[in-house]
Amino acid sequence: MTQNFVVTAADTELGQETTQQLVARGHQVTGIPLNKDGAEVIRSKGGLAADVSLTSATELKDVLSAANANVVINLTPQFANTLLSDGQDWKGFDKTLKATTDALLTAIEDAGTAFLVNTSYTFLYGNAKDSTETAPLVAPGDDPIFAAAIATENQVSNSKIPSSLLRMGYLYGPQSEDLKLYIKSFNLKRPYFAGPANNLGNWLHFEDAAQAIVQAGEQQTVGAVFNVVDGTPVSFADLIDYFAFALGRKQPARIPMWLTPVALLVVITPQQIELLKLETTVKSDSHQQLGWKPRYLSYKEGLQQTVQTWRSKNEIK
């Protein structure tokens, strides 16, 4: 059944893929950009664009009312859900999470929108093995960003708004400009900071992430929580090394762990250091309850597709 969706951060990498998939399924999509000049990006994916402030409940309510929205998809939290950048996107993100969540929940209540799909992170399980959706959340570090991520998730769950929650693995795929930057580093023979070599984490291809979001929006299972990850946890080191191999490159050099203080000064942020220290794997009921199955069951398949996509578009040599 065709529905009216409003998608926040619709101009981001995940937002563009989600918008495109929703439109392909016949839904009407109104996207709210996170970045300046993002409206044109949303329109290029088949959505309508509403260039309003994500921290203004009044402006958001007007958008929801004008769109006659049945479902809101909140992708703003996913803007920084990556280990592929230097972590600069996380700066001040605790305030962004709080302000955008406050405004969005108020707008949804005032507009009477039927359902919210909210996105979160699997790394909020902390150091844990095979965590299910009922496992307690643990802040990965003392940074206020992690506390804000848990607080805003709880805020959504405790609200009166019918909603479902998707905790997602680290995002990657051909949409990722940050991943493409590693090719430049390989060319320059620059080492990268991989963190502990054997710490496993959960990953997710952009296409699979968007598919799960679309299905959650269509099915509207009130109160459901889903872990959305592929089937193969991997360390950041092994993922980047395989990416290099997929490109036909040699194994790139790594910044040793004992040089972490130097890396903090010139390469990476404290938030990313904390995430790389985690050893987190999850189990998921989303395959059974949501009817979702990732197309890319491992990072190897996903990275091969990423490289092939770029080469087919002559984006890399």
Side-chain angles (χ1 to χ4, degrees):
M1 183 177 65
T2 299
Q3 299 185 82
N4 298 326
F5 283 79
V6 170
V7 181
T8 69
D11 57 328
T12 60
E13 292 159 344
L14 178 58
Q16 293 178 57
E17 180 63 31
T18 301
T19 298
Q20 191 166 274
Q21 289 194 25
L22 284 168
V23 170
R25 291 182 63 80
H27 299 298
Q28 179 79 37
V29 180
T30 300
I32 303 174
L34 183 65
N35 303 301
K36 185 179 179 181
D37 302 325
E40 185 57 38
V41 173
I42 294 169
R43 286 190 284 267
S44 73
K45 300 301 178 180
L48 304 174
D51 199 355
V52 299
S53 172
L54 285 166
T55 60
S56 171
T58 300
E59 293 182 14
L60 291 172
K61 177 191 173 183
D62 289 343
V63 172
L64 298 181
S65 299
N68 194 22
N70 306 113
V71 183
V72 175
I73 296 176
N74 184 23
L75 298 185
T76 306
Q78 297 304 300
F79 177 63
N81 188 19
T82 179
L83 289 181
L84 297 171
S85 72
D86 56 10
Q88 299 303 319
D89 289 344
W90 283 96
K91 287 185 177 179
F93 206 63
D94 55 319
K95 296 181 177 62
T96 299
L97 280 174
K98 183 176 185 336
T100 56
T101 303
D102 288 345
L104 187 61
L105 293 182
T106 299
I108 291 172
E109 288 186 5
D110 291 345
T113 302
F115 196 78
L116 168 66
V117 177
N118 199 63
T119 58
S120 186
Y121 322 93
T122 56
F123 63 68
L124 291 179
Y125 293 115
N127 284 301
K129 183 177 180 181
D130 295 338
S131 289
T132 64
E133 286 84 351
T134 59
L137 302 183
V138 180
D142 295 330
D143 195 283
I145 286 173
F146 302 126
I150 294 176
T152 53
E153 181 180 314
N154 289 336
Q155 186 179 358
V156 171
S157 299
N158 294 331
S159 74
K160 297 179 181 180
I161 298 168
S163 65
S164 62
L165 179 70
L166 276 60
R167 295 184 183 133
M168 313 193 88
Y170 298 118
L171 299 168
Y172 77 97
Q175 297 86 347
S176 176
E177 291 299 321
D178 287 325
L179 182 58
K180 197 176 290 185
L181 290 175
Y182 277 83
I183 300 175
K184 294 183 179 180
S185 293
F186 298 158
N187 291 339
L188 296 171
K189 295 182 169 39
R190 290 176 178 169
Y192 72 100
F193 189 80
N198 299 314
N199 282 12
L200 300 181
N202 306 282
W203 291 77
L204 183 65
H205 193 285
F206 278 114
E207 291 179 17
D208 289 329
Q211 181 188 4
I213 291 164
V214 170
Q215 290 182 223
E218 291 178 337
Q219 296 178 24
Q220 300 179 23
T221 306
V222 177
V225 179
F226 302 110
N227 291 333
V228 185
V229 299
D230 67 20
T232 311
V234 63
S235 70
F236 184 60
D238 284 346
L239 182 133
I240 294 300
D241 285 354
Y242 188 83
F243 177 52
F245 298 151
L247 290 163
R249 309 296 179 91
K250 296 180 180 179
Q251 182 179 17
R254 303 175 188 169
I255 298 173
M257 284 295 296
W258 59 270
L259 279 176
T260 298
V262 176
L264 275 168
L265 290 174
V266 298
V267 179
I268 199 168
T269 62
Q271 296 88 358
Q272 298 291 76
I273 293 287
E274 294 297 333
L275 294 179
L276 286 168
K277 288 180 180 178
L278 290 180
E279 174 91 35
T280 310
T281 60
V282 304
K283 289 183 177 179
S284 176
D285 289 334
S286 58
H287 293 243
Q288 182 175 356
Q289 293 187 30
L290 190 59
W292 171 82
K293 182 178 180 181
R295 178 180 179 183
Y296 305 100
L297 294 172
S298 82
Y299 65 98
K300 292 183 178 180
E301 296 171 13
L303 288 174
Q304 287 285 355
Q305 182 266 353
T306 296
V307 171
Q308 290 170 6
T309 298
W310 286 340
R311 284 180 173 155
S312 68
K313 297 178 179 180
N314 294 317
E315 294 181 4
I316 61 171
K317 295 180 179 180

